[in-house]
Amino acid sequence: MIDHFDPETGKRIIPNERCLTCHGDEEQKTDVRDDGSPVKIFVHSEQIKASVHGEQPCTSCHVTIDRVPHRKAPSVIVGCIECHRETWEEHQDDPDGKYERLGVVNEQIDNFMHSIHAQPSELDQSRTNATCYDCHDDHNIGELGSIQRAD
């Protein structure tokens, strides 16, 4: 397989289909982290395609992945809040209205950030009381009015 690189950033372009070679395998739904704990790795490809993030490359969110296959237990850092804020800032004046809902999402983010949910947990100060994934399925975020919606 020939590697392709983004001409602007120089980063390797990893097609979602390549990620789904492993992560879309219904027979291999879990893996084991370096510390021995199990981790869910299965992602249903049809759910991704139907989600509001369906056209995004996996590496838009999973920014630490720069090659496939990746090391056994990669550090997976996903910045939902930062991405939603930056995308809204960039597209809030688009005339086609494609990003209109993102304004509401950012209002909800602001509400979250000022709530008890975003505060450090009393039991573990390194973690918040709740994350985006506590209410939203990480790969199956539907359009407004769909069954996947948490709000």
Side-chain angles (χ1 to χ4, degrees), residues 97-110:
K98 178 179 177 185
Y99 295 91
E100 185 176 353
R101 176 73 183 151
L102 201 49
V104 174
V105 171
N106 275 279
E107 287 175 19
Q108 292 170 338
I109 288 170
D110 289 341

Side-chain angles (χ1 to χ4, degrees), residues 59-80:
T59 53
S60 287
C61 295
H62 300 282
V63 296
T64 59
I65 305 298
D66 60 1
R67 64 178 50 248
V68 175
H70 50 78
R71 64 185 176 84
K72 188 160 180 91
S75 151
V76 180
I77 300 167
V78 179
C80 304

Side-chain angles (χ1 to χ4, degrees), residues 79-81 84 109 112 128 130-138 141 150:
C80 304
I81 292 171
H84 284 105
I109 288 170
F112 166 81
T128 60
T131 68
C132 300
Y133 324 115
D134 288 326
C135 294
H136 297 279
D137 184 309
D138 44 359
I141 299 178

Side-chain angles (χ1 to χ4, degrees), residues 42-72:
F42 177 71
V43 178
H44 197 290
S45 63
E46 294 303 314
Q47 285 182 346
I48 290 176
K49 289 176 189 171
S51 96
V52 296
H53 299 133
E55 295 179 17
Q56 293 289 320
C58 298
T59 53
S60 287
C61 295
H62 300 282
V63 296
T64 59
I65 305 298
D66 60 1
R67 64 178 50 248
V68 175
H70 50 78
R71 64 185 176 84
K72 188 160 180 91

